[in-house]
Amino acid sequence: MKNMNAKKIIAAAITATLLIGAGAFAYNTHKVSAASENENNEEAMNIDGGWESSTNYKLDDEAKAAFEKATKDLMGVDYEAIALLGKQVVAGTNYSILVRKTVVVPDAEPTYSVITIYEDLEGNAEITDDKEIIGEQTAGSFTANAGDVDMAKNADIQAKFEKANEGLVGAAIEPIAYLGSQVVAGTNYMVLCKSTPAYPDAIPEYELITVYEDLAGNISLGNMETLELGASDEATVENTEGVGTADGQEIVGSSLAD
């Protein structure tokens, strides 16, 4: 798993702002909430690759319609849209959506992916990329969170996340969704975040950040991986070593205060 990009390690004297409580919003494939109005484009910002991201991650009407068209005929797997990560205008529109997938069999465990849906100018929509984040559970792998991913609904995870990020400088970290845990010599907790370098006009990126809690209850930052939107050949995120410390040479001030 890659460490946070070196370009985010700047301004060592500036204390990062930890933005808490920006929970993701879940929509079932066939039961999309009508309460979410077309409101998330009001504060859009550009991210790498020509993608545009909102600040509240709700699926607007266009994204919901494209999602339903792209998934309605898929058999055997239930797709639940968790958060809209970005839009990209091409000859039509690409949508990057965090989804929770569950195979339609008894006692199936969910998985997490970031899918890309392409909607052409005629309104036809299809899934063109599926980037698996947490796959089917195997020995030593992450177990997907089957409950509410909103950080506000996971107070214990939010507290661990805040503790791990104490003293972090150089970037503002916004937690979006709690995705799952992994039992090692202690426990790893995976959180999807948006990271914005602390300088004017900085371009934010999505990060998969692991918080590590050892057997004595000590908390530290673990792995960080940049999540690129769009097509990618990257494999499922795994951490079988259970190492929870951050690389001090690349993450300025990220060590945990005693």
Side-chain angles (χ1 to χ4, degrees), residues 62-102:
E62 291 79 11
K64 286 189 290 184
F67 175 78
E68 291 181 337
K69 284 185 286 187
T71 60
K72 65 183 178 66
D73 294 327
L74 299 179
M75 305 299 291
V77 179
D78 178 61
Y79 282 73
E80 180 185 2
I82 300 297
L84 176 65
L85 302 184
K87 291 184 180 182
Q88 182 188 49
V89 177
V90 287
T93 307
N94 285 319
Y95 299 93
S96 183
I97 301 173
L98 173 69
V99 298
R100 180 161 51 195
K101 300 189 297 185
T102 307

Side-chain angles (χ1 to χ4, degrees), residues 15-22 151 157-176 191 193-196 209 211 221:
T15 302
T17 301
L18 184 63
L19 306 176
I20 300 298
M151 292 291 284
I157 304 301
Q158 178 170 309
K160 290 178 175 63
F161 186 86
E162 292 182 39
K163 182 66 175 176
N165 281 276
E166 286 180 357
L168 179 69
V169 300
I173 307 296
E174 177 187 2
I176 299 171
V191 179
C193 304
K194 182 180 286 183
S195 173
T196 306
I209 296 181
V211 173
L221 281 177

Side-chain angles (χ1 to χ4, degrees), residues 9-258:
I9 313 311
I10 57 161
I14 303 175
T15 302
T17 301
L18 184 63
L19 306 176
I20 300 298
F25 298 84
Y27 299 89
N28 187 274
T29 304
H30 303 295
K31 296 181 180 179
V32 179
S33 171
S36 64
E37 297 296 334
N38 198 358
E39 59 190 43
N40 68 319
N41 287 328
E42 295 178 0
E43 300 181 25
M45 62 180 71
N46 291 327
I47 55 179
D48 282 349
W51 289 84
E52 188 177 78
S53 171
S54 74
T55 58
N56 63 21
Y57 313 107
K58 291 183 180 180
L59 274 71
D60 59 21
D61 293 341
E62 291 79 11
K64 286 189 290 184
F67 175 78
E68 291 181 337
K69 284 185 286 187
T71 60
K72 65 183 178 66
D73 294 327
L74 299 179
M75 305 299 291
V77 179
D78 178 61
Y79 282 73
E80 180 185 2
I82 300 297
L84 176 65
L85 302 184
K87 291 184 180 182
Q88 182 188 49
V89 177
V90 287
T93 307
N94 285 319
Y95 299 93
S96 183
I97 301 173
L98 173 69
V99 298
R100 180 161 51 195
K101 300 189 297 185
T102 307
V103 178
V104 186
V105 296
D107 302 320
E109 296 290 335
T111 63
Y112 283 97
S113 293
V114 173
I115 63 172
T116 301
I117 292 176
Y118 169 65
E119 184 175 32
D120 64 24
L121 297 175
E122 284 71 45
N124 303 303
E126 62 177 336
I127 297 174
T128 58
D129 185 66
D130 187 323
K131 186 186 286 90
E132 191 171 78
I133 304 302
I134 297 180
E136 294 183 7
Q137 186 175 357
T138 58
S141 69
F142 274 89
T143 300
N145 173 19
D148 200 322
V149 301
D150 191 334
M151 292 291 284
K153 303 293 179 61
N154 293 277
D156 56 334
I157 304 301
Q158 178 170 309
K160 290 178 175 63
F161 186 86
E162 292 182 39
K163 182 66 175 176
N165 281 276
E166 286 180 357
L168 179 69
V169 300
I173 307 296
E174 177 187 2
I176 299 171
Y178 166 51
L179 301 183
S181 62
Q182 176 194 36
V183 177
V184 286
T187 307
N188 286 316
Y189 301 95
M190 187 187 296
V191 179
L192 173 63
C193 304
K194 182 180 286 183
S195 173
T196 306
Y199 61 85
D201 302 320
I203 297 175
E205 291 183 327
Y206 288 105
E207 302 280 352
L208 294 168
I209 296 181
T210 300
V211 173
Y212 173 66
E213 182 177 22
D214 67 21
L215 296 175
N218 300 305
I219 307 294
S220 61
L221 281 177
N223 291 313
M224 296 184 179
E225 179 181 5
T226 300
L227 179 63
E228 304 288 351
L229 302 190
S232 172
D233 294 328
E234 292 184 11
T236 303
V237 175
E238 298 288 353
N239 178 0
T240 57
E241 297 179 357
V243 177
T245 57
D247 185 345
Q249 293 183 341
E250 296 191 15
I251 306 172
V252 179
S254 64
S255 59
L256 211 142
D258 294 333

